Amino acid sequence: MRSIALPRIGTAAAWREAARGLLSAGVRPEDVLWTWDGAAGDLFAEPAAPPAPSPALTVPKAFLEMANRVVWHSDPERFARLYAFLWRVRDDPRLMSARGDAGLERLRTMEKNVNRCAHKMKAFVRFRDLGADGPRRRFAAWFEPTHHTVEPTAPFFTRRFGDMDWVIVTRDVTARFEEGTLSFSEGQSKPDLPEDGAEALWGTYFRNIFNPARVKIGAMTSEMPRKYWKNMPEAQHIPDLIRTAEARARQMQDNAPTLPPLRAAKVTERLRGPGTGSTKA
Amino acid sequence: MWRRALDAAAQEHNVNIMPMTLQDKLAILSDAARYDASCASSGTSRRDSRDGKGLGSTEGSGICHAYAPDGRCISLLKILMTNFCIYDCVYCVNRVSSNVPRARFTPEEVVHLTTEFYRRNYIEGLFLSSGIIRSPDKTMEDMVQIARLLREREQFRGYIHLKTIPDAAPELIAQAGLYADRLSVNVELPTDASVAAYAPEKNPATIRDAMGDVKARRLASKDRSHTGKRPARFAPAGQSTQMIVGADGSNDAVILNHSARLYGDFRLKRVYYSAFSPIPDSSARLPLIKPPLMREHRLYQADWLLRFYGFGVDEITGVSAGGNLDLDIDPKLAWALAHRGLFPVDVQRAERETLLRVPGFGTKTVGRILTTRHHRTLRYGDLQRMGAGLKKARPFITLRDWSPGALTDSADLRARFAPSPEQLSLF
Ligand code: SF4
């Protein structure tokens, strides 16, 4: 039994390197024990640096793309599952496009989970202004991802927020972008971030863009599951919006039409010409 | 001459209002914007700010940063520049004859809100529309000014959608398209007669001219000149429009025929349908109904069939009474039920066009069927994995291990799909 220890930061590259080595040395999947971030492995497994990969090794490109996502899944079995499939796909590359292979389907599902988690991270991270002393504005966010998606998703934030410094803190990994350089460090517990006045404005927007005449709560929660709400400033308004929606919608219907303000007739007459009904403004 | 009078009228307004905070203005001007259905921020050119000299990025598909309890995606800061308006469109909360509170952002305020919201990752960008103040040109000028400040001074590289004022001068539209990702002009109502009746200051011919102008400029911006130089991109995410459903008496056939014409004539990216919904301080001339949300939903489905499934308007609207879509079942299923003689379809052999007509088969599923059936014989379980909606498809297909038997022609087939009347009353 061989034990391969993978690091929390840089997991994808380390797994790939290890898997290439094991595969070149012909180590069978059942003889590998994968551990991650110093987790206790099997006491009887021999800790070993993975064997050096042979340079000629090739695998289907589609597998690499999939593996690069699956390694970030929270399932502790992810590395073993990937290697087990890699072992088979090396002999039969067509397996990669087969439908109905249980091992592949499981991996595809995990890939989807990670993609969805990354997508929600791009959507739901909320920065707070830290105030700046230098020319670059500084922002920070606390986020709770379901999978280990901070590292693979951070480049998105560097492309988007290129002219500011920012940090995204999670229990898992912390991503930091300063002076145009991205770096990762160990996760942290939730920091105390300063109040940000923009959140009240954003809440106002959220309350008013909602149309109480068309409540569809299921459509909201399927796309924005409740687990994300506590870190989104606008979500605190949701219960109140739902509670009052029906009454507000009814009131709009019940309100008797009002008389137009006096100036209206003047404006309209100027536009249409007295009694002509012309349509050109 | 009338212009001066309107100026005076607008000023008279302004004196009447108390000084407002940014909060107050935002409340009024986002409330007024929520009747625009579009919040799309996809399909524009790729940009980023890796150079450290600007803010923002766009990459293919836009992101929904939040969802409101109405189930709608919040992707853009969707606001009006002002809800003062000199027009009197009956269905609109901003019409001159309404008593809603009025507000007006300065260009700087809009720029501030957009960039500060963007920096906190609340939004993908800005969707700006406006009531018409003083004149169409003045209004459009201010909107262009906002877009210019964002792009040039703030180096903002996020998404901008401007709702153009159809009566504005063509030069202003030309500028707008250089800063905006998307331009839209709302046709508002399905027929010229309805526009004349409910939006008397608007002119359907002018609206069409504006859309034709945008289309022409987009085409021109794609041509290389003889020197091989590419002109500046013009509204790279295309143009769209919106029609209000349920305010006038138009049936679905009229609405969809209009959409088909718009897609054809102006190469629109999207036609949005907005269920007419009660507005604060509504006009006595309009029905105060619950918004016809199911009808809106069916129209979107039908619109999809027109664009991606090879259906014609008459086929879709011809199978139900009065030219309106069946509210209980989706339009493709309704069509299939009315053409049972064409089913069941042999999934292993049928042509793409035929497969696209099977209820429960989407374009993706059909694509997967076509690639996989080259290699091997398809089974029922394969379709499941390919994402087919088999509950709907079952009566209409045959496979090596599946035959619907008498199901296709059974008398109660429609009833199996239509919801019971009690459920229906929920809408
Ligand atoms: S022009 Fe008509 S639809 Fe537009 S804001 Fe004014 S009243 Fe409303």
Side-chain angles (χ1 to χ4, degrees), chain B residues 80 82-96 130-132 163 188 198-199 201-202 244:
Chain B
L80 265 67
T82 176
N83 67 339
F84 286 107
C85 190
I86 55 177
Y87 284 15
D88 200 25
C89 309
V90 183
Y91 50 84
C92 177
V93 60
N94 307 317
R95 68 191 187 285
V96 66
S130 182
I132 296 173
K163 187 152 105 186
E188 311 288 11
Y198 294 113
E201 285 87 13
K202 293 199 174 174
I244 296 167

Side-chain angles (χ1 to χ4, degrees), chain B residues 4 13 15 43 65 84 87 117 124 138 162 208 212 225 231 270 297 307 317 340 342 348 372 377 391 393 421:
Chain B
R4 219 179 319 132
H13 258 110
V15 245
H65 284 274
F84 286 107
Y87 284 15
F117 280 5
E124 293 288 288
K138 175 70 184 112
L162 295 181
R208 283 191 285 271
S225 69
R270 284 291 294 277
H297 178 62
R307 288 187 294 147
T317 55
R340 296 194 210 187
L342 305 175
Q348 190 67 32
T372 313
T377 307
K391 251 171 81 181

Side-chain angles (χ1 to χ4, degrees), chain B residues 343-363:
Chain B
F343 295 100
V345 157
D346 179 354
V347 179
Q348 190 67 32
R349 260 174 286 274
E351 299 201 16
R352 180 167 184 276
E353 292 69 39
T354 312
L355 291 173
L356 283 173
R357 297 206 164 215
V358 175
F361 281 12
T363 47

Side-chain angles (χ1 to χ4, degrees), chain A:
Chain A
M1 183 64 78
R2 229 183 245 267
S3 171
I4 304 287
L6 298 176
R8 176 183 290 267
I9 293 163
T11 313
W15 180 84
R16 182 176 169 190
E17 195 59 20
R20 279 160 47 89
L22 294 166
L23 204 58
S24 319
V27 182
R28 305 180 59 82
E30 53 272 32
D31 295 332
V32 189
L33 186 76
W34 299 90
T35 65
W36 182 73
D37 190 42
D42 183 340
L43 286 177
F44 301 101
E46 37 182 310
S54 86
L57 195 66
T58 58
V59 296
K61 193 164 162 260
F63 174 81
L64 258 186
E65 279 164 19
M66 179 179 74
N68 267 332
R69 302 305 283 178
V70 173
V71 288
W72 306 112
H73 200 277
S74 63
D75 181 351
E77 295 294 310
R78 61 195 180 279
F79 308 118
R81 287 184 201 285
L82 275 172
Y83 187 62
F85 185 72
L86 176 62
W87 182 260
R88 291 193 291 128
V89 87
R90 183 189 50 173
D91 296 332
D92 184 4
R94 285 173 317 168
L95 269 184
M96 206 50 221
S97 43
R99 294 208 167 253
D101 184 280
L104 178 62
E105 247 155 51
R106 180 69 185 252
L107 291 172
R108 286 289 187 203
T109 307
M110 292 166 78
E111 180 187 27
K112 257 190 218 147
N113 297 153
V114 171
N115 284 341
R116 181 174 161 89
C117 182
H119 184 76
K120 295 301 176 197
M121 180 175 167
K122 292 177 190 174
F124 299 151
V125 158
R126 296 289 181 258
F127 284 115
R128 280 188 172 181
D129 193 353
L130 297 181
D133 2 288
R136 285 170 74 89
R137 306 257 315 256
R138 291 165 61 240
F139 291 83
W142 162 252
F143 190 66
E144 295 174 82
T146 312
H147 301 284
H148 307 287
T149 25
V150 176
E151 189 177 324
T153 317
F156 164 83
F157 291 92
T158 67
R159 294 191 293 276
R160 175 151 292 196
F161 302 108
D163 73 348
M164 60 195 222
D165 288 351
W166 50 259
V167 49
I168 300 173
V169 183
T170 77
R171 229 164 253 129
D172 189 40
V173 167
T174 292
R176 195 177 289 279
F177 188 65
E178 274 164 348
E179 300 291 340
T181 307
L182 176 66
S183 63
F184 299 100
S185 55
E186 289 286 298
Q188 287 157 250
S189 50
K190 186 177 178 178
D192 261 334
L193 297 177
E195 295 291 314
D196 187 329
E199 290 187 356
L201 281 168
W202 176 237
T204 299
Y205 178 69
F206 186 77
R207 295 184 68 92
N208 285 283
I209 201 67
F210 162 62
N211 184 350
R214 19 185 326 156
V215 176
K216 282 189 181 174
I217 297 168
M220 168 183 65
T221 49
S222 77
E223 295 297 338
M224 193 171 79
R226 283 172 210 275
K227 66 178 174 191
Y228 293 107
W229 291 13
K230 59 179 181 298
N231 296 319
M232 299 171 70
E234 64 271 37
Q236 59 179 294
H237 301 289
I238 294 172
D240 185 52
L241 290 176
I242 294 174
R243 199 166 40 74
T244 55
E246 221 195 302
R248 286 171 64 199
R250 202 169 335 106
Q251 186 161 17
M252 283 195 278
Q253 295 187 42
D254 293 349
N255 279 350
T258 53
L259 287 175
L262 276 179
R263 67 188 152 71
K266 254 194 285 179
V267 174
T268 303
E269 192 179 299
R270 284 293 165 187
L271 276 176
R272 295 184 198 168
T276 62
S278 142
T279 58
K280 185 74 186 104

Side-chain angles (χ1 to χ4, degrees), chain B residues 162-224:
Chain B
L162 295 181
K163 187 152 105 186
T164 53
I165 313 287
D167 297 294
E171 306 84 72
L172 290 167
I173 309 271
Q175 286 182 37
L178 296 180
Y179 300 120
D181 293 287
R182 170 168 285 189
L183 296 178
S184 61
V185 188
N186 283 359
V187 296
E188 311 288 11
L189 294 160
T191 66
D192 287 4
S194 307
V195 174
Y198 294 113
E201 285 87 13
K202 293 199 174 174
N203 182 339
T206 312
I207 294 172
R208 283 191 285 271
D209 286 350
M211 290 196 286
D213 185 37
V214 172
K215 174 190 159 197
R217 284 178 201 279
R218 270 174 54 72
L219 285 177
S221 80
K222 286 177 186 156
D223 284 344
R224 278 174 207 278

